[in-house]
Structures are given as structure tokens and as C-alpha cells.
């Protein structure tokens, strides 16, 4: 675990991501040359099976890479995080996954889990689905090669049922078969190109659909024995902590030079109230990070040993992620409030950190109801959700 060539690649790319963050916001997507450099470094294949040419990295390495990219620029970290939907080819049959990889070895997949599309049996002998729908917040879609979007399989005019639930699946299809609707005019994560996408009558072979919340991966390995929702926390915990790390570092540097008109000392750093607030913010972020590393490492160690990740371990990874998001926002809000009017300018990374965290933590996975799930497990109750 820890530092490796992938983390080195992220650190090498980070300075330019940071320098060009405003450019990404103005373009409303990550500049294509930076996307191509991330492609070339393998940063979109962090969790893709090694048998397919991916890195199949351990959760801590994945966490550290996304954290580093998010520290450089929240939009960049989020874009690469979502582009790592390449991981989900591990739920396809190996021969089907190989066909996707063969179409472009350095491919990028983006997608939306929400089942706002439908998949209707074509009725033809090839057994394909016909997919229609519209999906919001498809981050990184301008440079995606494949989309992986949520659909409900239909049985006539009603959803097909699997037990007591609708048949909710993710459908893989070439991005060229869909359409991007320019909708990304937002307050935060402006550089992620998270437009709407649509599909109209797109034929998707049944074998290119997956149900990872309910079915095991087709590829074996410790990473894929970690429950799907826990795998997601690897990325979702890294983003807020990376952004918060940047905010704290920016404020610390600012405090050493920003003059005070009133109050003790010539610069902010000499103000004891500022010192206390900064120290508390630092402790908040560092402790949250340590909890994430501990929870992810514990779950992965169990998977490596061939054991089954327990419900308590699943709840711990979820709780660590939720705590990371909350801690990151708390710490960033604290230092932004002390930064003065100058932090409002577009040129200030501090205001971008604040906006990106607000936008990113609007994601459904960070919803307040997740705390209820955690509490139910702590109390020995059924979690009442499959998203754990």
C-alpha cells in the first residue's frame, strides 16, 4: 500500500492541474490535453482488473491518488474519480470486458447510477435491450469513450421484478451512441463537464449490463471481494479530504502574509484566535483521514485473507466516508471565514475549494440518510438498504 508509481504520476500532474484550474472552470470541463496525460499515466484504470491491463490497485493507493488530484483541483479529482468507472467492467463476463478494452485500451467510462433510463427487450434473437433515457450529472462525459448508465429493465409497461425489487442494472454502451446535452452551468465543480446525457433507442447486448449492488464481480481478487458500496467509499472519501487539504494549506500560506488592519500582530498568523482555529481544522481533517485509512485497510485486509467483509466493517467504511465529507466541509468553512474578502476572487483557490466541496457533497452517496444506515448497523438492526 501507499506510495507507488501511480501516486508519483498524480503528483507529477498535480502542479499543472492546480495552475490550470481556472481554465478548466471556464471551459466547464477538464482540458483535453490534461485528460490525455491522465489517460497515459493510467489514472483512469486504478481499479480495473489487472487481467484487462488495469492496475487493480489496493484501496489505500486508490484513495491516495484521488486525494492528491483533488488537492490539486477538486474538479480534476472528481473527473478522474468518476472516469474510474472502468472498474465496473469487473462485473462483466471476461470475454465481454475484453471486447470493451479492445475498442480502446486507454478507454474512459463515465456514468450515472440513478436508474432514469429504461431497458426493454428488443424481441430479436440477439437478446439485446433497447435503452432510452436521460441522466443528469454525467461527470466527464465530454471525454468519455463509454457510458455506463442506470436503467430499469421493463416487462411491458411495468418494471421487471427480481424478488421484491425492480431489475436495476447499469448498461454499457459507446458514448458515440448517446448524446450530451449542455447543462453544466453551476456553482461548484465547474470543471467537471457534468452535463446531462441521453440515449434514444440504443441497442445494448444483455451481456453488457451489470447489477453490482446485487451480484458479485466476474473477476476475482481482493479488491472485488470488498463489497461494491465499500469500494465506492475509496473514491468518495478521497475527494473531500484532498480538497480540504488544499484549503488548509492555502490558508496557512495566506496567514503568513496577509496584514491585519485591526487586532494583535502584523499578520493573521500572529493572531492567537486564528492559530487555534487553524489547529482545530487541521486536527479535524487529519483525524478524519486516519479513520478512512483504518476502515478501508481493515476491510481490505479481510478480503486479502479470503474472509467476508462483515456488516460492521461495511458500516465503518461508510461512516469514515461520511465523517470525511463532514470534516472537510467544517474545516474548509472555518478557514474560508477567516480569509477575508480577497478569498472571494476567482483567482483564489480557497473559494474554489469551498464551492467544490459544497457541490461534491450534494452527491446522493453523502446523503444524511446514510447516517441512519450506520446507526442501524451499530444497534444490531437490519441496515434496511443494499447500499452498504
Amino acid at each position: 500500500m501507499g506510495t507507488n508509481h501511480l501516486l508519483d504520476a498524480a503528483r507529477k500532474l498535480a502542479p499543472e492541474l492546480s495552475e490550470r484550474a481556472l481554465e478548466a472552470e471556464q471551459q466547464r470541463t477538464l482540458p483535453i490535453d490534461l485528460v490525455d496525460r491522465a489517460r497515459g499515466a493510467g489514472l483512469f484504470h486504478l481499479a480495473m482488473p489487472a487481467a484487462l491491463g488495469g492496475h487493480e490497485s489496493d484501496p489505500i493507493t486508490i484513495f491516495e491518488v484521488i486525494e492528491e488530484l483533488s488537492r490539486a483541483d477538486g474538479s480534476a479529482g472528481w473527473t478522474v474519480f468518476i472516469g474510474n468507472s472502468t472498474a465496473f467492467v469487473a462485473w462483466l463476463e471476461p470475454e465481454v470486458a475484453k471486447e470493451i478494452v479492445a475498442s480502446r485500451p486507454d478507454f474512459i467510462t463515465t456514468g450515472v447510477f440513478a436508474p432514469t433510463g429504461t431497458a426493454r427487450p428488443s424481441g430479436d434473437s440477439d437478446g439485446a435491450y433497447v435503452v432510452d433515457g436521460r441522466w443528469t450529472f454525467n461527470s466527464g462525459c465530454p471525454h468519455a469513450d463509454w457510458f455506463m448508465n442506470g436503467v430499469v429493465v421493463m416487462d411491458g409497461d411495468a418494471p421487471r421484478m427480481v424478488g421484491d425489487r425492480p431489475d436495476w442494472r447499469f448498461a454499457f454502451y459507446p458514448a458515440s451512441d448517446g448524446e450530451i446535452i449542455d447543462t453544466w452551468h453551476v456553482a461548484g465543480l465547474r470543471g467537471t463537464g457534468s452535463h446531462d446525457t441521453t440515449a434514444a433507442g440504443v441497442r445494448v447486448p444483455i451481456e453488457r449490463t451489470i447489477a453490482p449492488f446485487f451480484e458479485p464481480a466476474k473477476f476475482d481478487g481482493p479488491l472485488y471481494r470488498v463489497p461494491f458500496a465499500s469500494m465506492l467509499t475509496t473514491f468518495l472519501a478521497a475527494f473531500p479530504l484532498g480538497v480540504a487539504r488544499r484549503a488548509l494549506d492555502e490558508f496557512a500560506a495566506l496567514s503568513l502574509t496577509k496584514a491585519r488592519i485591526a487586532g494583535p500582530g502584523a499578520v493573521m498568523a500572529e493572531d492567537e484566535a486564528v492559530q487555534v482555529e487553524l489547529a482545530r481544522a487541521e486536527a479535524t481533517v487529519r483525524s478524519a483521514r486516519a479513520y478512512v485509512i483504518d476502515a478501508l485497510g481493515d476491510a481490505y485486509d479481510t478480503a486479502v485473507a479470503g474472509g467476508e467483509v462483515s456488516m460492521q466493517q461495511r458500516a465503518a467504511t461508510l461512516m469514515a466516508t461520511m465523517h470525511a465529507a463532514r470534516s472537510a466541509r467544517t474545516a474548509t468553512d472555518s478557514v474560508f471565514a477567516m480569509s477575508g474578502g480577497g478569498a472571494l476572487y476567482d483567482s483564489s483557490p480557497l473559494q474554489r475549494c469551498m464551492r467544490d466541496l459544497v457541490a461534491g457533497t450534494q452527491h446522493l452517496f453523502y446523503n444524511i440518510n446514510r447516517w441512519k444506515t450506520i446507526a442501524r448497523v451499530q444497534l444490531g438492526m437490519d441496515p434496511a438498504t443494499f447500499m452498504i
Side-chain angles (χ1 to χ4, degrees):
M1 295 186 183
T3 302
N4 58 17
H5 70 285
L6 291 170
L7 184 54
D8 290 341
R11 287 172 172 163
K12 184 176 181 180
L13 187 57
E16 190 165 1
L17 292 174
S18 180
E19 182 180 333
R20 298 175 62 184
L22 184 55
E23 177 187 346
E25 290 210 321
Q26 292 168 343
Q27 292 186 12
R28 295 181 296 124
T29 188
L30 200 61
I32 191 61
D33 63 306
L34 295 179
V35 172
D36 288 343
R37 286 175 60 186
R39 275 188 196 260
L43 298 181
F44 289 102
H45 290 179
L46 299 176
M48 197 173 85
L52 297 174
H55 297 292
E56 201 171 323
S57 304
D58 64 86
I60 305 305
T61 296
I62 295 170
F63 169 86
E64 290 179 334
V65 169
I66 300 301
E67 180 188 41
E68 177 65 20
L69 297 172
S70 301
R71 182 197 62 77
D73 172 36
S75 285
W78 189 272
T79 297
V80 175
F81 145 36
I82 298 295
N84 270 280
S85 296
T86 53
F88 307 141
V89 297
W91 274 261
L92 296 169
E93 292 292 346
E95 291 306 313
V96 177
K98 288 175 183 176
E99 290 175 359
I100 290 178
V101 175
S103 68
R104 178 171 181 172
D106 64 352
F107 76 106
I108 297 171
T109 302
T110 66
V112 177
F113 288 2
T116 54
T118 59
R120 299 178 184 276
S122 67
D124 298 335
S125 59
D126 61 3
Y129 288 129
V130 177
V131 170
D132 296 275
R134 179 165 179 158
W135 298 267
T136 56
F137 310 121
N138 201 323
S139 301
C141 62
H143 55 255
D145 303 295
W146 288 79
F147 290 152
M148 186 203 71
N149 287 327
V151 296
V152 173
V153 177
M154 303 298 290
D155 186 4
D157 294 329
R160 176 184 296 170
M161 302 301 290
V162 179
D164 60 354
R165 65 171 178 82
D167 190 357
W168 171 28
R169 309 188 70 78
F170 303 156
F172 283 89
Y173 56 92
S176 57
D177 287 351
E179 182 180 358
I180 296 173
I181 310 299
D182 189 336
T183 55
W184 196 238
H185 301 272
V186 291
L189 290 178
R190 290 176 180 171
T192 61
S194 302
H195 303 288
D196 288 13
T197 63
T198 63
V202 175
R203 294 178 68 85
V204 178
I206 290 176
E207 60 267 24
R208 284 188 185 164
T209 66
I210 62 174
F213 280 112
F214 312 108
E215 299 172 356
K218 297 298 193 297
F219 287 75
D220 190 28
L223 184 63
Y224 310 117
R225 292 186 217 122
V226 173
F228 183 69
S230 296
M231 179 193 284
L232 295 179
T233 66
T234 304
F235 296 93
L236 287 157
F239 163 75
L241 291 174
V243 175
R245 177 73 271 149
R246 176 63 179 276
L248 295 183
D249 291 347
E250 288 290 333
F251 178 76
L254 175 68
S255 71
L256 294 170
T257 60
K258 185 174 175 62
R260 301 301 299 262
I261 296 175
V267 294
M268 288 179 61
E270 296 177 357
D271 187 328
E272 292 180 352
V274 170
Q275 294 168 2
V276 169
E277 201 65 24
L278 178 59
R280 287 175 173 171
E282 185 73 34
T284 296
V285 170
R286 289 197 184 201
S287 59
R289 186 181 191 275
Y291 184 26
V292 168
I293 297 294
D294 179 69
L296 287 176
D298 182 55
Y300 188 66
D301 286 346
T302 295
V304 169
E308 181 177 352
V309 178
S310 70
M311 189 58 67
Q312 289 72 28
Q313 288 174 308
R314 298 181 187 204
T317 63
L318 176 57
M319 182 157 53
T321 300
M322 293 295 292
H323 182 58
R326 186 178 185 184
S327 298
R329 285 192 61 167
T330 297
T332 300
D333 287 349
S334 175
V335 296
F336 181 80
M338 296 188 292
S339 298
L344 294 171
Y345 288 102
D346 284 347
S347 58
S348 169
L350 274 167
Q351 56 81 29
R352 188 164 55 250
C353 289
M354 183 190 69
R355 289 188 291 104
D356 287 350
L357 275 175
V358 170
T361 53
Q362 292 294 101
H363 192 282
L364 178 63
F365 204 89
Y366 300 111
N367 186 280
I368 192 171
N369 287 325
R370 308 294 277 153
W371 288 108
K372 298 177 184 178
T373 299
I374 295 163
R376 290 182 67 89
V377 174
Q378 287 179 311
L379 294 169
M381 302 167 66
D382 187 300
T385 178
F386 54 83
M387 295 183 68
I388 184 169

